[in-house]
Amino acid sequence: MPATPASPPTPAQQMANARVFVVDDDASVRDALGWLLRTRRMVSEAYESADAFWAQLPASPPDQLDPCCVLLDVRMPGMSGLALFDRLLDSPWFPLMPVIFLSGHADVPTAVDAVKRGAFDFCEKPFSDNALVDRVAQALQQSADVLERRHQKRLLRERLSGLTEREQDVMHLVASGLPNKLVADQLHISVRTVEVHRARVFEKMNVRSAVELVNLLRDL
């Protein structure tokens, strides 16, 4: 029997480890945001520049990543927030790490354009504490949802790798809608053998019907 895949973390466990990255060159803003997030039981990490944040970011996200998001100032010395966003857009991090821009009034059109290109949102300075924290919570939930879908796909691939070659043949024909008799004809085996392989496929893939199997493979 294949090893049972590890259970995914619960939503509560995921959100307890969630992290907000604050990237702003203004120390007073970083401190204020850190305090605000702590009052809502959110963990944050502060960076004084986009360059510093980008330098510590691995090329690829680790498999076991906690939900995260970025509060990103638009204008900073060195690499601007917009330039960092462009780099994130082209990186594997982008789907996992929603970006909320912090913009001054003059930068609102730029922030709006970034939202159109995929940023999660923008908050104009001075921002409403409640509105900002609500959007941060929603961004973290989006990150958690993406991570959960990726976790489920990893589990599915592990289950698929546990199938024998013959079981995979039977699985694909069953998933295409063929009854056992036609599967047997296609593979030149007995109906009874198809039934045995079909039962093993359902057990290993943790499904109870061909419809569930089709939906599972569609998700992959």
Side-chain angles (χ1 to χ4, degrees):
M1 292 290 294
T4 302
S7 299
T10 65
Q13 289 171 329
Q14 278 192 322
M15 298 312 291
N17 296 326
R19 193 167 300 272
V20 182
F21 300 109
V22 178
V23 185
D24 196 301
D25 64 310
D26 189 329
S28 63
V29 172
R30 296 196 303 272
D31 292 342
L33 287 172
W35 175 85
L36 173 63
L37 294 169
R38 284 195 300 275
T39 65
R40 307 301 176 87
R41 298 183 179 180
M42 294 180 179
V43 178
S44 66
E45 287 184 14
Y47 294 87
E48 64 182 7
S49 69
D51 296 278
F53 177 73
W54 181 255
Q56 63 81 41
L57 202 63
S60 297
D63 287 339
Q64 300 302 322
L65 181 68
D66 295 319
C68 58
C69 72
V70 184
L71 290 177
L72 180 60
D73 191 19
V74 173
R75 292 181 184 270
M76 287 178 286
M79 187 194 308
S80 69
L82 198 61
L84 173 60
F85 177 70
D86 288 339
R87 289 193 181 186
L88 290 172
L89 267 177
D90 294 331
S91 78
W93 284 95
F94 183 68
L96 314 175
M97 184 187 290
V99 174
I100 299 175
F101 275 104
L102 303 175
S103 65
H105 179 71
D107 295 317
V108 168
T110 300
V112 171
D113 180 67
V115 170
K116 292 178 180 178
R117 294 194 295 126
F120 187 81
D121 204 349
F122 74 93
C123 290
E124 186 178 353
K125 299 176 182 178
F127 41 77
S128 161
D129 290 354
N130 288 335
L132 176 59
V133 173
D134 286 346
R135 291 305 281 159
V136 167
Q138 292 161 10
L140 291 175
Q141 186 58 58
Q142 176 176 294
S143 176
D145 292 343
V146 172
L147 291 170
E148 173 63 14
R149 289 194 295 271
R150 293 195 172 196
H151 178 78
Q152 293 301 328
K153 286 185 177 182
R154 284 197 298 270
L155 292 183
L156 178 53
R157 291 190 181 97
E158 290 174 5
R159 292 172 186 168
L160 286 172
S161 67
L163 299 178
T164 66
E165 184 176 349
R166 179 60 81 190
E167 287 168 351
Q168 291 187 32
D169 293 339
V170 170
M171 177 189 68
H172 289 300
L173 291 174
V174 169
S176 71
L178 292 183
N180 290 350
K181 177 66 170 62
L182 291 183
V183 173
D185 292 343
Q186 288 267 356
L187 299 177
H188 307 291
I189 55 179
S190 69
V191 173
R192 176 55 185 159
T193 301
V194 171
E195 292 172 347
V196 170
H197 286 312
R198 179 185 176 119
R200 288 176 178 167
V201 168
F202 282 16
E203 179 183 5
K204 291 181 179 180
M205 298 302 292
N206 194 28
V207 297
R208 292 173 293 181
S209 68
V211 172
E212 285 188 27
L213 180 63
V214 169
N215 289 335
L216 201 63
L217 295 177
R218 183 184 297 120
D219 289 341
L220 181 61

